[in-house]
Each structure stands twice: as C-alpha cells, then as structure tokens.
Amino acid sequence: RGQVSTLDNFKKIIEHIARYKMNTYMPYLEDMLVFKDYPSIGKNRGALTRKEIKELHEFASIHFVDIIPIFQTLGHYENILAQDEFLKYAEFPGAASLNVSYDSTYIFLENMLKEVFEMFPSEYFHMGADESWDVGLGKSKHLVEEHGIAMVHAMHYQRVYDICKKYNKKVLM
C-alpha cells in the first residue's frame, strides 16, 4: 500500500533469507501483479510483469528459496475497487472488501487466482483474507443478518479454498 519493492529489492530479500538458510519467501502482492485479463490492476503502481516474476523465480531457485505469493482474496482491495470497472465487486462504493454475496465476485476472483497460480508455481498459496472489516456493511448485509459475520467469513474462505484446490494449491491463511 505504500512504497513498492523493485525486482532488485526482492532479490536482495531472497539473498538475505537464503544466507540464513531460510527456504521460503512470501511476498505480499495485493494489486502488484500485471494481469492479462485485468490490465488496469496495478497500472502505474510498479506491478510485477510475468517476465519479472519468472526472473525472480529463477533467482530464488538458485538460492533454494520457494516463493509463496500472498494475494488478498477478501480485504485490501481498495486500489482495485476504486476503479469503475471493478466497483461492481465492492461491498459498497469506497469499500476495501469484496462483496461476498455475488457469484460474479467469485468468477472475478478465480480469474485473477488462475493467473496468480500460473505465475507462481509453488504448491502453496497464501490467501490473505485479513482486515475485511466492511464485510456485511453493504451488499452482503443480508447474509450477515442470516448467518452471522463469522459464518459469512467461513463461507467465503471455503469458496476460496475450493478454487485453490481446483488448481492443486495448498492454502495458507
């Protein structure tokens, strides 16, 4: 959400953790990937291209480091949802969380996740899903009234988990 790391900075981190015999690097990506299907995400913010990610994986490989992406699947969507084309997936205009009551949200999420999975070959995926304070304050309010906020979150986690399993990913949260 602040300063964006450069490819050189990512490499320095990998070298540092490898020096101390750590074998896993989990970069927090939020909206910092260039998507084929959604080219406006991360535009003019320093988003990583597929070529850069491939170079990063090659670099990590020679240092015996697995890169596990942390890509948000519920909250922290303020940069994406601020764009007109993605407003329909927001809990409400100005929200930072996805609307969990629409099936179209999960189609959008799966489309992005497919690309994330193509870019990051690790068997693991960190789904983020933190800081989703505005879930239930807009379009999904009826779900929260019916099931409670904890169950609404659990239902969302299950849907994301099911998407990840479909692509043979082990989910971290």
Side-chain angles (χ1 to χ4, degrees):
R1 285 174 302 244
Q3 181 178 352
V4 177
S5 292
T6 64
L7 195 58
D8 286 340
N9 181 249
F10 285 122
K11 288 179 179 180
K12 285 178 185 174
I13 293 168
I14 290 168
E15 284 178 327
H16 180 77
I17 64 175
R19 181 179 308 123
Y20 293 99
K21 307 299 183 207
M22 294 181 226
N23 64 359
T24 303
Y25 177 45
M26 298 175 68
Y28 179 74
L29 300 167
E30 211 160 289
D31 65 327
M32 298 314 303
L33 297 172
V34 174
F35 290 93
K36 284 190 249 178
D37 287 347
Y38 307 105
S40 64
I41 293 176
K43 190 173 183 179
N44 300 321
R45 288 199 12 90
L48 295 167
T49 66
R50 285 175 184 264
K51 182 180 175 188
E52 289 172 320
I53 292 169
K54 183 175 188 237
E55 181 180 334
L56 195 59
H57 281 295
E58 290 168 356
F59 186 83
S61 177
I62 64 172
H63 289 86
F64 305 99
V65 172
D66 183 27
I67 300 174
I68 300 172
I70 303 173
F71 185 78
Q72 290 294 343
T73 58
L74 184 56
H76 292 287
Y77 267 73
E78 52 273 6
N79 289 329
I80 295 172
L81 298 176
Q83 299 179 48
D84 288 339
E85 69 181 296
F86 304 114
L87 187 56
K88 61 189 169 204
Y89 304 117
E91 177 67 11
F92 54 83
S97 295
L98 291 169
N99 168 14
V100 297
S101 66
Y102 287 171
D103 285 337
S104 61
T105 298
Y106 293 95
I107 294 168
F108 169 62
L109 198 50
E110 183 171 355
N111 288 339
M112 283 193 299
L113 290 176
K114 278 193 296 192
E115 291 197 46
V116 172
F117 300 156
E118 289 169 4
M119 291 184 255
F120 293 89
S122 176
E123 67 182 307
Y124 296 99
F125 169 73
H126 193 300
M127 66 183 275
D130 64 320
E131 298 186 4
S132 54
W133 299 297
D134 43 14
V135 170
L137 300 178
K139 296 173 186 167
S140 67
K141 185 175 184 173
H142 67 284
L143 287 177
V144 171
E145 289 171 350
E146 182 179 346
H147 301 287
I149 191 69
M151 184 56 73
V152 169
H153 277 86
M155 292 184 307
H156 171 76
Y157 304 153
Q158 184 66 55
R159 287 189 80 169
V160 173
Y161 174 83
D162 291 343
I163 292 168
C164 295
K165 290 307 283 182
K166 182 175 165 182
Y167 296 93
N168 300 311
K169 294 295 181 178
K170 293 179 182 174
V171 180
L172 305 174
M173 184 179 172

